[in-house]
Amino acid sequence: MSANPAVEANITNSVEDSEQLTCNPPHPVELSQVHQLKGQLLSTEKAQRMAEFFSLLGDANRLRILSILAVKERCVGDLAAALEMSESAVSHQMRVLRAMRLVSYRKQGRHVFYRLQDRHVLDLYHAVAEHLDETG
């Protein structure tokens, strides 16, 4: 149950509106509409890649790492200290994040500094954080 009655009423109204729009079989199929829908449908391959991407973000430690990198690039030692994790554990998470092209790195001597891959990752991070901070 929603903590906000206004949100719950909105959801209920949306469900009622959508129930009025449902079609009941048997009904004639509008082929032009079906073709239009198929043109808007994600390919199976892209849907699979997106699902893997979002499941990767289902890890709290990875999101905590991204929250730090959203502010400034950091080395593994700094990340490990801030997160109270071992450098080995952070390095493992960084390999995963690099494989999904969420972070990139640069070497400076013996140190490796990580940053968010690009503006899309930062925008995605901020959009989700803002969405979760909304009160209704």
Side-chain angles (χ1 to χ4, degrees):
M1 180 167 208
S2 176
N4 186 335
V7 170
E8 188 172 288
N10 251 352
I11 293 170
T12 302
N13 290 340
S14 295
V15 170
E16 288 170 359
D17 290 344
S18 68
E19 287 173 355
Q20 293 171 2
L21 298 175
T22 46
C23 52
N24 297 313
H27 63 278
V29 175
E30 291 289 332
L31 291 178
S32 62
Q33 289 182 7
V34 171
H35 289 300
Q36 182 182 9
L37 289 174
K38 284 188 175 189
Q40 297 167 348
L41 183 65
L42 282 175
S43 70
T44 302
E45 178 185 334
K46 187 168 185 176
Q48 181 61 42
R49 287 177 43 218
M50 288 176 74
E52 290 170 4
F53 178 88
F54 284 113
S55 70
L56 174 87
L57 294 179
D59 181 275
N61 285 325
R62 290 186 198 127
L63 290 171
R64 294 174 71 216
I65 290 169
L66 292 180
S67 74
I68 293 171
L69 297 179
V71 177
K72 185 178 177 184
E73 73 176 8
R74 297 289 178 183
C75 67
V76 170
D78 290 347
L79 291 168
L83 297 164
E84 298 179 352
M85 294 172 62
S86 70
E87 287 189 18
S88 174
V90 170
S91 291
H92 170 73
Q93 296 299 340
M94 300 315 293
R95 279 190 298 277
V96 173
L97 291 169
R98 262 194 353 252
M100 286 303 288
R101 297 178 24 222
L102 288 171
V103 299
S104 57
Y105 68 95
R106 70 176 176 86
K107 290 186 178 183
Q108 184 175 330
R110 291 183 36 203
H111 298 282
V112 178
F113 291 87
Y114 289 93
R115 63 184 172 273
L116 297 182
Q117 176 76 23
D118 57 30
R119 186 77 191 174
H120 295 109
V121 178
L122 182 62
D123 291 345
L124 178 64
Y125 170 80
H126 284 302
V128 172
E130 287 173 17
H131 174 71
L132 294 175
D133 288 342
E134 290 176 358
T135 57

